[in-house]
Amino acid sequence: MSDVDEAPEPAAPRSSLRRWVTRGVVVAVALGLVVFVPGPVFRAIHSHAAGELVDDVATGRTELLAKQDEFRAPLAGLGDPARSWTQVSCWLSPRYSDGDGEQDVVMFYWQECSLLAYEVYALPADAGDASEVAEGLGGSTAGDPTCSEILFDVLTPDYGASRPSEYAAALWWVDPHGEPMAGHPDSCAVPSPDDSDAARVTRDVDEPTTAEAYVVYQVRSPIEAVDVGCDRRLVWIFSCVAEPEGFPML
């Protein structure tokens, strides 16, 4: 009986191998899309939402100016403002964990925006310091002299008396030539429509500001907000590691 050579096992069909390679590529691409693509997609969505928020807030100018007129009555003795304008201002606020996990963990950020109306009144040279100006308006100060002091008990609603969902008023005295508070180099600055955080600016009065001191009157519209996400270690999971780059978007 002669030896018979055993036939070699057939090689895997190339079509089968090709299918496995194709499946591997598809899985790799899908994982890449899950991990990397949503970042730019979410950023585009958040950017669009933030832009719409700014536009929506800016439409409230008529209502804001009506509130400004309503609150202004106690300031009649200051005369006409040297500057007045409206602007949209936005900032970021963190949204912390609600207690289901680790406390004080930032999960995402809100872009919050409001429409502000400013009036800047130049004071005469003999107006006195902040406490004297406050007394002349029927109010008071906190009694801690600095180059910028809040004037309380003059306006209604008073400083800090309104909720974020309501219109709010603020009044303060400022000496732009005073000594800034430690750690706050801009604490003596008079607000300006040219500030970098101002958008959708509409100027009403814009005269030179050369006085020694000023009273600044501000009215804020209700605060509106939109989720703008954050920077994460991975797109889908984990808490924020930093504020979203490029926000607040004005």
Side-chain angles (χ1 to χ4, degrees), residues 67-83:
K67 287 295 182 181
Q68 185 184 48
D69 289 342
E70 178 183 331
F71 301 153
R72 189 195 295 109
L75 307 181
L78 295 177
D80 295 326
R83 279 186 174 178

Side-chain angles (χ1 to χ4, degrees), residues 4 39 46 86 90 98 112 142 144 180 196 199 202 204 208 211-212 232 242 244:
V4 177
H46 291 152
T86 60
C90 299
D98 59 6
E112 297 186 324
D144 185 18
S196 59
T202 301
D204 295 310
E212 293 297 316
R232 304 176 187 271

Side-chain angles (χ1 to χ4, degrees), residues 6-25:
E6 294 182 0
E9 294 183 3
R14 290 187 178 181
S15 59
S16 177
L17 180 61
R18 190 179 299 113
R19 282 198 299 271
W20 281 106
V21 171
T22 302
R23 289 174 182 172
V25 171

Side-chain angles (χ1 to χ4, degrees), residues 154-221:
V154 177
L155 300 174
T156 302
D158 202 2
Y159 181 85
S162 300
R163 293 190 293 267
S165 59
E166 300 175 326
Y167 285 90
L171 189 70
W172 67 96
W173 170 93
V174 60
D175 173 8
H177 309 290
E179 184 67 25
M181 293 183 290
H184 300 276
D186 297 329
S187 58
C188 302
V190 178
S192 167
D194 299 317
D195 290 344
S196 59
D197 64 346
R200 307 295 196 277
V201 175
T202 301
R203 303 169 190 251
D204 295 310
V205 180
D206 192 7
E207 298 178 358
T209 50
T210 58
E212 293 297 316
Y214 298 87
V215 165
V216 180
Y217 169 45
Q218 179 204 82
V219 178
R220 169 189 61 74
S221 72

